[in-house]
Amino acid sequence: MEIKPTEISISKMFGGYNKRYKHYSPTLGCSMNFHIFFPPSSSPSHKFPVLYWLSGLTCTDENFIAKSGAQRAASSEGVALIVPDTSPRGLNVEGESDSWDFGVGAGFYLNATQEKWKNWKMYDYVVKELPTLLHENFPELDTSRASIFGHSMGGHGALTIYLKNLDKYKSVSAFAPIANPVNCPWGLKAFTNYLGENKADWEEYDATCLVSKYNDVSATILIDQGEDDKFFKDQLLPQKFEEACKKVNVPLLLRLQPGYDHSYFFIATFIDDHIRHHAQALNL
């Protein structure tokens, strides 16, 4: 059980390197993979700020690295990209792969409380274990300067993690996030199974509920949402989050993008804006 990360692949890109690592996660009780994009370095002593990307349903640590094109802007802005997986894997819990929107590939970035899913602790993995692992093993990363963003389920993860840890992250953004999961079918299914029937527990992982409580937000929250996204109206509900932000004067830039869907084509189109949004906050 190798807790220290082992490099399993490397590819040069835009002068920097995509590197994939494997390690044993005590938090999740299984072996996990993650990617880091290291920008080109000007000097051996230079430390890069880190930007965590949280992926959506069915994804692994590979989708964003292969499809988003984020490395170009990350390279020019000097920001390291950290891309974890979306759930524990290989635990063989009964039913873990029965549906695409729950279980494997669908960790929802929460800490499950129901016994059957007790290993599904992606919140602790992202907020606690992974930053510590990076700090201890990668001296070229400055984990004290961190921001977070994500897509869909990962946009939900980024928003909720940011709001509950405003001291740990400089900024947040999201593409088509599940912004009010207590009121959508994906959230209902995930929260009932991971967290049980108590709806108060669900609200701890809902950005629209949390923003009224954790609203000392200094950096503007950036959200891009495709208007032709088939999940826009019944699953994502960004307008609910917008209403909640307005009530407590949290700065939000919600951009509705005509003609765009829920895919990585949409993400790749606007990714540079998001990288620059975070680079500005990280380099202050």
Side-chain angles (χ1 to χ4, degrees), residues 67-68 175 224 255 257 260 263-274 276:
K67 293 180 174 180
S68 71
F175 292 86
D224 275 316
R255 308 192 303 186
Q257 304 290 3
Y260 286 92
S263 72
Y264 266 90
F265 300 121
F266 157 62
I267 295 170
T269 303
F270 300 103
I271 194 71
D272 288 9
D273 288 352
H274 287 248
R276 284 192 289 264

Side-chain angles (χ1 to χ4, degrees), residues 187-217:
L188 200 66
K189 179 176 180 177
F191 289 178
T192 304
N193 285 287
Y194 289 137
L195 301 171
E197 300 291 342
N198 184 355
K199 296 212 163 76
D201 295 338
W202 301 7
E203 292 178 0
E204 285 302 304
Y205 296 104
D206 183 305
T208 299
C209 300
L210 290 171
V211 78
S212 60
K213 217 176 3 176
Y214 303 101
N215 49 35
D216 189 18
V217 174

Side-chain angles (χ1 to χ4, degrees), residues 1 58 71 82 103 118 122-123 130 139 147 153 217 235 241 246 254 261:
M1 294 197 306
T58 75
Q71 295 91 332
I82 315 295
K118 63 180 186 291
M122 288 302 293
Y123 178 91
L130 195 53
S147 289
M153 175 184 75
V217 174
Q235 297 279 20
F241 183 65
K246 278 185 178 146
L254 171 60
D261 61 14

Side-chain angles (χ1 to χ4, degrees), residues 51 171 199:
L51 176 54
S171 53
K199 296 212 163 76

Side-chain angles (χ1 to χ4, degrees), residues 7-278:
E7 188 182 300
I8 52 177
S9 73
I10 177 169
S11 307
K12 190 169 185 178
M13 190 174 186
F14 297 116
Y17 288 92
N18 296 313
K19 296 187 181 184
R20 194 182 197 199
Y21 297 90
K22 181 179 189 168
H23 75 111
Y24 177 79
S25 165
T27 304
L28 305 174
C30 65
S31 178
M32 292 293 283
N33 296 329
F34 63 90
H35 265 92
I36 303 178
F37 174 72
F38 293 95
S41 183
S42 49
S43 77
S45 61
H46 182 75
K47 283 178 171 284
F48 299 109
V50 297
L51 176 54
Y52 295 91
W53 170 267
L54 304 183
S55 295
L57 289 163
T58 75
C59 289
T60 68
D61 60 303
E62 295 185 282
N63 303 68
F64 180 77
I65 290 291
K67 293 180 174 180
S68 71
Q71 295 91 332
R72 186 196 300 268
S75 181
S76 63
E77 296 287 351
V79 173
L81 302 172
I82 315 295
V83 187
D85 202 345
T86 53
S87 77
R89 291 185 191 266
L91 292 167
N92 300 316
V93 174
E94 187 198 346
E96 68 175 18
S97 300
D98 285 1
S99 53
W100 64 276
D101 56 359
F102 179 78
V104 168
F108 273 85
Y109 305 101
L110 48 73
N111 289 335
T113 54
Q114 301 306 289
E115 179 61 24
K116 181 176 179 181
W117 304 103
K118 63 180 186 291
N119 292 76
W120 268 249
K121 293 205 165 10
M122 288 302 293
Y123 178 91
D124 278 356
Y125 179 74
V126 169
V127 175
K128 298 175 181 172
E129 184 180 327
L130 195 53
T132 303
L133 187 82
L134 297 175
H135 177 69
E136 289 173 353
N137 293 282
F138 300 99
E140 62 272 57
L141 301 178
D142 179 1
T143 52
S144 70
R145 285 188 296 151
S147 289
I148 192 164
F149 66 152
H151 171 231
S152 195
M153 175 184 75
H156 140 78
L159 291 171
T160 54
I161 284 170
Y162 172 76
L163 290 169
K164 287 160 82 161
N165 299 275
L166 291 167
D167 57 327
K168 285 190 171 77
Y169 304 96
K170 309 283 188 199
S171 53
V172 69
S173 72
F175 292 86
I178 305 172
N180 188 200
V182 302
N183 286 316
C184 81
W186 281 337
L188 200 66
K189 179 176 180 177
F191 289 178
T192 304
N193 285 287
Y194 289 137
L195 301 171
E197 300 291 342
N198 184 355
K199 296 212 163 76
D201 295 338
W202 301 7
E203 292 178 0
E204 285 302 304
Y205 296 104
D206 183 305
T208 299
C209 300
L210 290 171
V211 78
S212 60
K213 217 176 3 176
Y214 303 101
N215 49 35
D216 189 18
V217 174
S218 49
T220 298
I221 296 171
L222 171 63
I223 294 177
D224 275 316
Q225 172 64 58
E227 287 189 340
D228 281 16
D229 185 328
K230 66 182 178 187
F231 304 117
F232 180 18
K233 298 285 194 285
D234 65 331
Q235 297 279 20
L236 304 174
L237 313 176
Q239 285 95 336
K240 297 277 191 196
F241 183 65
E242 185 179 34
E243 287 163 22
C245 286
K246 278 185 178 146
K247 278 184 189 156
V248 287
N249 296 316
V250 163
L252 168 69
L253 177 57
L254 171 60
R255 308 192 303 186
L256 299 181
Q257 304 290 3
Y260 286 92
D261 61 14
H262 197 67
S263 72
Y264 266 90
F265 300 121
F266 157 62
I267 295 170
T269 303
F270 300 103
I271 194 71
D272 288 9
D273 288 352
H274 287 248
I275 302 283
R276 284 192 289 264
H277 168 79
H278 294 294

